Amino acid sequence: MKLAILAPVAWRTPPRHYGPWEQVASTICEGMVNKGVDVTLFATLDSQTKGRLEGIIGKAYEEDPESDGLVSTCLHISYLMEMADQFDLIHNHFDYLPLTYSRLINTPLVTTIHGFSSPKIWPVFERYNESTHYVSISFSDRLNTLDYVGNVYNGINVDDFTYCDRPEDYLLFFGRIHPDKGAYEAIQIAKRAKRKLIISGIVQDQVYFDEKVKPFIDEDQVVFIGSSGPEKRDQLLGKALALLHPISFDEPFGLSVAESMFCGTPVIAFNRGSMPELIKPNETGFLVTNVSEAVSVVNDISSISRSFCRSHAIENFSSHRMVEGYYNIYRKIVGD
């Protein structure tokens, strides 16, 4: 099988810091290479892979202030589509735009839907429902007007996260600084629970950061350290007493939630989107509905088995399981 994997070009693949879609595309690519599949990764030219790297965009547009994101997107997607007949299958991780090529090429197209940014994009997915194969990353994020070939949870490399059974006494918020992710709510939880909070993530909404987060940063109880790369992420997650995940949207998956559990760290999350599919209540963390409920369970974190958190994550969200899930879908579409 000759497989082409289309990663986004917002960030490098795999990402240096932030870039969840790029990270998933990379993990699948490397896993398929290890299975002996002939894989070509279409990504930025500074990307890294054990497969064959193809691309036309030198550097990710989020990392290059001189670039135009829409221009990079158009060039990148069309570059692959013009080579489509060289592959048996294309796996799209670049949202809805590649779907518009699906009737212009003969190569089957698999599209992982990493989430719907807005109902306004639904018509594109619906229009090309019969000319592509959709995969969801959680059952909670399915659109009932679409047909799905399967559901595959995002997978994580086990070796990238170190189990820690002796945490330090701090809570952690790990994610982009945006109203959807709930950094402000995490601060309120920590302050009311009288616990230290470390905040790590890219600032995606500067106004929100300036008005809702920055005023509370005192470098004592509330500490902001910016974005964290893989090594720092592993340390932060592993040593945290718990990860706070007070989201205000129906999150399709939540990589940091799974990553936290890989380190043995329980999660306190607002009960929205895919959270019930990731977290086992009272066993790997707590599902709550508001700040007050979150505060009330902080002191119960010690009742959670950190070793069970890790085993639960390995069983359900490992890169091996994800790769096997997609491999079976590929075989279903193109045969053995």
Side-chain angles (χ1 to χ4, degrees), residues 57-81:
I57 303 303
K59 190 175 181 180
Y61 62 78
E62 290 287 1
E63 300 174 13
D64 181 7
E66 299 300 318
S67 67
D68 183 291
L70 184 57
V71 171
S72 296
T73 295
C74 291
L75 289 173
H76 179 59
I77 295 172
S78 61
Y79 183 72
L80 164 57
M81 294 304 174

Side-chain angles (χ1 to χ4, degrees), residues 56-166:
I56 194 172
I57 303 303
K59 190 175 181 180
Y61 62 78
E62 290 287 1
E63 300 174 13
D64 181 7
E66 299 300 318
S67 67
D68 183 291
L70 184 57
V71 171
S72 296
T73 295
C74 291
L75 289 173
H76 179 59
I77 295 172
S78 61
Y79 183 72
L80 164 57
M81 294 304 174
E82 290 166 5
M83 302 167 63
D85 60 357
Q86 299 180 24
F87 302 99
D88 299 309
L89 185 67
I90 297 171
H91 191 170
N92 166 38
H93 290 273
F94 208 167
D95 213 18
Y96 61 91
L97 283 175
L99 302 179
T100 61
Y101 289 83
S102 59
R103 294 177 185 167
L104 305 175
I105 61 175
N106 294 318
T107 307
L109 182 69
V110 176
T111 295
T112 294
I113 302 177
H114 288 279
F116 300 101
S117 58
S118 163
K120 293 179 181 179
I121 68 175
W122 291 353
V124 183
F125 287 95
E126 291 167 341
R127 177 174 173 80
Y128 296 100
N129 185 49
E130 295 181 1
S131 57
T132 187
H133 303 272
Y134 294 132
V135 178
S136 59
I137 59 173
S138 68
F139 291 100
S140 69
D141 196 53
R142 288 192 165 191
L143 194 62
N144 59 17
T145 55
L146 301 183
D147 298 317
Y148 292 84
V149 69
N151 180 84
V152 181
Y153 291 127
N154 287 338
I156 294 163
N157 291 319
V158 178
D159 294 339
D160 290 344
F161 295 89
T162 307
Y163 174 65
C164 178
D165 61 355
R166 295 189 178 184

Side-chain angles (χ1 to χ4, degrees), residues 100-288:
T100 61
Y101 289 83
S102 59
R103 294 177 185 167
L104 305 175
I105 61 175
N106 294 318
T107 307
L109 182 69
V110 176
T111 295
T112 294
I113 302 177
H114 288 279
F116 300 101
S117 58
S118 163
K120 293 179 181 179
I121 68 175
W122 291 353
V124 183
F125 287 95
E126 291 167 341
R127 177 174 173 80
Y128 296 100
N129 185 49
E130 295 181 1
S131 57
T132 187
H133 303 272
Y134 294 132
V135 178
S136 59
I137 59 173
S138 68
F139 291 100
S140 69
D141 196 53
R142 288 192 165 191
L143 194 62
N144 59 17
T145 55
L146 301 183
D147 298 317
Y148 292 84
V149 69
N151 180 84
V152 181
Y153 291 127
N154 287 338
I156 294 163
N157 291 319
V158 178
D159 294 339
D160 290 344
F161 295 89
T162 307
Y163 174 65
C164 178
D165 61 355
R166 295 189 178 184
E168 297 178 7
D169 191 23
Y170 68 85
L171 303 174
L172 176 67
F173 173 89
F174 194 93
R176 53 194 171 92
I177 312 303
H178 185 279
D180 284 350
K181 288 289 193 174
Y184 171 77
E185 286 77 9
I187 292 170
Q188 302 312 305
I189 294 167
K191 290 180 73 67
R192 288 174 56 178
K194 295 181 172 54
R195 300 276 187 164
K196 178 179 179 178
L197 176 69
I198 296 178
I199 301 172
S200 177
I202 63 168
V203 177
Q204 198 171 58
D205 187 320
Q206 190 65 50
V207 173
Y208 174 76
F209 176 78
D210 291 340
E211 295 181 356
K212 293 288 190 177
V213 178
K214 189 175 181 179
F216 298 97
I217 298 172
D218 58 10
E219 304 304 332
D220 182 24
Q221 186 180 12
V222 180
V223 179
F224 175 65
I225 62 172
S227 181
S228 299
E231 289 187 15
K232 185 64 176 177
R233 174 189 60 191
D234 184 33
Q235 295 173 7
L236 285 170
L237 288 170
K239 293 180 180 178
L241 185 67
L243 176 74
L244 299 182
H245 202 66
I247 52 174
S248 61
F249 75 118
D250 294 327
E251 189 167 30
F253 187 76
L255 276 173
S256 63
V257 172
E259 291 167 349
S260 179
M261 292 187 291
F262 268 94
C263 294
T265 301
V267 183
I268 300 174
F270 281 6
N271 191 7
R272 297 194 59 167
S274 61
M275 292 304 105
E277 295 179 54
L278 272 71
I279 299 168
K280 295 193 68 144
N282 305 314
E283 294 185 66
T284 65
F286 300 97
L287 296 172
V288 298

